[in-house]
């Protein structure tokens, strides 16, 4: 089937996307889908009816619909860890029963949500001025991305996010926090992550150093209740979640607490409602009209069909500036694997390298490569029809114009003749030709655009859940377990072993030459 996709891609080599529009006046509507008020337009790609038919056949053969239903029903589809995958239960506000091992998980989920809301209200009504979320990966990226995205709704205490074990991170944050009125939220599914536990200890010592008792100053978000308890955090301040919530899928539950404190429980619920609405669309819409499934097959087409190994996520929404980083974990930790579910080597590329920055900033940085580089980078634009700052309408009009212009420029490009005409008044002869060639844009570069009315709590929920399900569908098609992350383990083990060598307590003689040299250099310059 992969060869079929590659064959289809080869057969379309050199065909201009613009021609597809000229040939089919309804192309934009045909190759677009709407869901929950959002429009996903994938018409500025090489996808045509035959390609879409093949992509959907690939999805159906992979049994995307059956696997989806298994996920929602609590089946243990994370086979290498023997776990269900039920982040969707965290936003199942209608409390449809969801069973794991014969037990409905919903009473527990809703009880924890109610406790979180109670604490959030208490803190928002207290003298706490600053909340510091200490966590990393999925215990940082989601709430950090979401809190920034919802800045207009942020009426609670200031929120800070500390993730890096580099002491510079926590040091910079603590500089602006008054010890008397700061609350620390330790967010760690395992409660063993070295970066988080190191930062948490530093926070505790800092409080003590400032003469403030740590009692009542810490909250824990974890699925390891025992470890959180050992840390001395009372049970009333520990918010648990089950192992069926993957770290990178966890911002909907306790890991979202900092965001809830920032924007308030009502807005957090609106975020959950957005996720729930996208779940409902994903579960019910036929694949042809299913936004996450279509986003996924467009990704499969570009990566496995056309052979473009990266994709750029380009939000024309400044407050989504952390979305690319969030999606890097969501997509790359989920689908960056080289073995299939049965342990055999994948005979095709796994998920793409995901990267990006908000427009228009990216335009003045790396878009040069996107437009004229030798590699093709499929681009995924996101933009709200309305900006979050309605009184600055002129800004938003410019933003929209820039966003639409980029996808048009990527598709159309600029021919040599057009480039010549641009500089004909300045150069002539061979020099005109040479100068013009630098100004040629090959065009025919694929992009998609997700446009929504405006970024608000509910829309954020829709967008995050859309991408989660996209990752799921791509993973099913690739026959990958999207829910484990063994690839992060080796580095952690080696770092633990290297610790005593960095400190000079253990010999590094058995290490390779490069590692020994780096250690020696560091030790020489450390003091
Ligand atoms: O929430 P924890 O257990 O501290 O883990 C943080 C992150 O570390 C990882 O396990 C990767 O090392 C991520 O999957 C996870 O989001």
């Amino acid at each position: 089937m992969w060869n079929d996709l590659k064959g289809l891609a080869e057969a379309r080599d050199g065909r201009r996307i613009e021609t597809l529009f000229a040939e089919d006046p309804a192309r934009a509507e045909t190759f677009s889908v709407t869901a929950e008020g959002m429009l996903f337009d994938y018409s500025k790609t090489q996808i045509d009816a035959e390609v879409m038919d093949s992509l959907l056949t690939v999805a159906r053969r992979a049994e995307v619909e059956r696997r989806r239903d298994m996920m929602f029903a609590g089946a243990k589809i994370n086979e290498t860890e023997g776990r269900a995958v039920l982040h969707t239960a965290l936003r199942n506000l209608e409390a449809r029963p969801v069973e794991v091992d014969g037990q409905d998980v919903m009473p527990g989920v809703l009880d924890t949500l109610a406790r979180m809301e109670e604490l959030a209200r208490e803190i928002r009504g207290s003298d706490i001025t600053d909340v510091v979320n200490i966590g990393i990966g999925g215990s940082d990226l989601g709430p950090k991305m979401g809190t920034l995205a919802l800045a207009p709704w942020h009426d609670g205490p200031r929120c800070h996010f500390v993730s890096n074990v580099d002491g510079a991170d926590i040091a910079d944050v603590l500089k602006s926090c008054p010890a008397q009125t700061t609350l620390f939220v330790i967010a760690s599914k395992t409660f063993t992550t070295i970066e988080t536990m190191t930062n948490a200890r530093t926070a505790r010592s800092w409080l003590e150093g400032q003469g403030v008792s740590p009692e009542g100053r810490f909250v824990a978000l974890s699925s390891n209740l025992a470890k959180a308890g050992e840390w001395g955090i009372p049970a009333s301040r520990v918010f648990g979640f089950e192992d069926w919530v993957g770290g990178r899928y966890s911002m909907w539950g306790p890991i979202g607490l900092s965001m809830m404190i920032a924007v308030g429980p009502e807005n957090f619920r609106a975020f959950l409602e957005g996720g729930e609405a996208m779940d409902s669309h994903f579960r019910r819409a036929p694949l042809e009209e299913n936004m996450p499934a279509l986003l996924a097959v467009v990704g499969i087409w570009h990566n496995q069909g056309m052979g473009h190994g990266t994709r750029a996520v380009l939000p024309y929404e400044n407050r989504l500036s952390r979305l690319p980083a969030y999606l890097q974990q969501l997509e790359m930790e989920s689908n960056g694997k080289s073995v299939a579910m049965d342990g055999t080597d994948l005979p095709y590329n796994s998920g793409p390298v995901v990267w990006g920055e908000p427009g228009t900033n990216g335009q003045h940085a790396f878009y040069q490569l996107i437009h004229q580089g030798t590699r093709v980078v499929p681009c995924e634009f996101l933009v709200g029809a309305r900006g979050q700052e309605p009184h600055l309408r002129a800004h938003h009009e410019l933003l929209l114009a820039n966003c639409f212009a980029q996808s048009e420029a990527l598709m159309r490009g600029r021919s040599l003749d057009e480039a010549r005409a641009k500089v004909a008044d300045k150069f002539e002869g061979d020099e005109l030709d040479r100068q013009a060639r630098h100004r040629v844009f090959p065009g025919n570069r694929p992009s998609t655009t997700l446009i929504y009315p405006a970024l608000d709590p509910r829309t954020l929920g829709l967008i995050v859940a859309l991408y989660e399900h996209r990752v799921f569908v791509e993973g099913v098609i690739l026959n990958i377990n999207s829910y484990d992350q063994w690839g992060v383990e080796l580095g952690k083990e080696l770092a633990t072993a290297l610790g005593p060598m960095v400190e000079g307590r253990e010999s590094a003689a058995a290490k390779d030459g490069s590692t020994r040299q780096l250690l020696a250099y560091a030790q020489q310059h450390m003091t």
Side-chain angles (χ1 to χ4, degrees), residues 63-226:
E63 300 190 283
V64 163
E65 290 143 305
R66 189 175 69 85
R67 302 283 300 176
R68 172 197 63 194
D69 295 345
M70 285 170 70
M71 174 173 76
F72 278 97
K76 296 196 175 168
I77 61 167
N78 174 358
E79 292 176 14
T80 59
E81 295 180 311
R83 292 175 182 169
V85 173
L86 276 178
H87 46 278
T88 51
L90 301 176
R91 54 200 188 222
N92 173 19
L93 295 175
E94 68 178 24
R96 179 179 45 84
V98 181
E99 288 192 0
V100 176
D101 296 327
Q103 279 284 111
D104 183 7
V105 302
M106 287 317 299
V109 166
L110 296 177
D111 179 60
T112 304
L113 177 61
R115 285 182 56 229
M116 284 168 64
E117 291 178 335
E118 199 183 322
L119 182 75
R121 288 201 179 94
E122 181 191 319
I123 290 169
R124 286 163 60 84
S126 74
D127 59 358
I128 293 291
T129 57
D130 293 75
V131 172
V132 181
N133 187 89
I134 298 181
I136 196 164
S139 299
D140 165 74
L141 291 162
K144 185 171 177 176
M145 179 274 292
T147 302
L148 178 59
L150 301 184
W153 289 265
H154 188 157
D155 55 3
R158 285 183 291 268
C159 276
H160 314 266
F161 292 86
V162 169
S163 54
N164 204 320
V165 76
D166 183 342
D169 198 1
I170 192 160
D172 283 349
V173 165
L174 294 182
K175 263 182 226 157
S176 63
C177 292
Q180 298 289 346
T181 55
T182 295
L183 178 82
F184 292 94
V185 175
I186 310 180
S188 176
K189 180 176 170 182
T190 55
F191 229 73
T192 56
T193 303
I194 195 90
E195 290 91 336
T196 300
M197 301 327 295
T198 304
N199 278 320
R201 280 193 297 275
T202 300
R204 189 164 56 187
S205 316
W206 174 78
L207 277 181
E208 285 163 352
Q210 304 274 317
V212 175
S213 163
E215 207 177 309
R217 295 280 164 212
F218 284 88
V219 172
L221 319 173
S222 184
S223 55
N224 191 340
L225 302 184

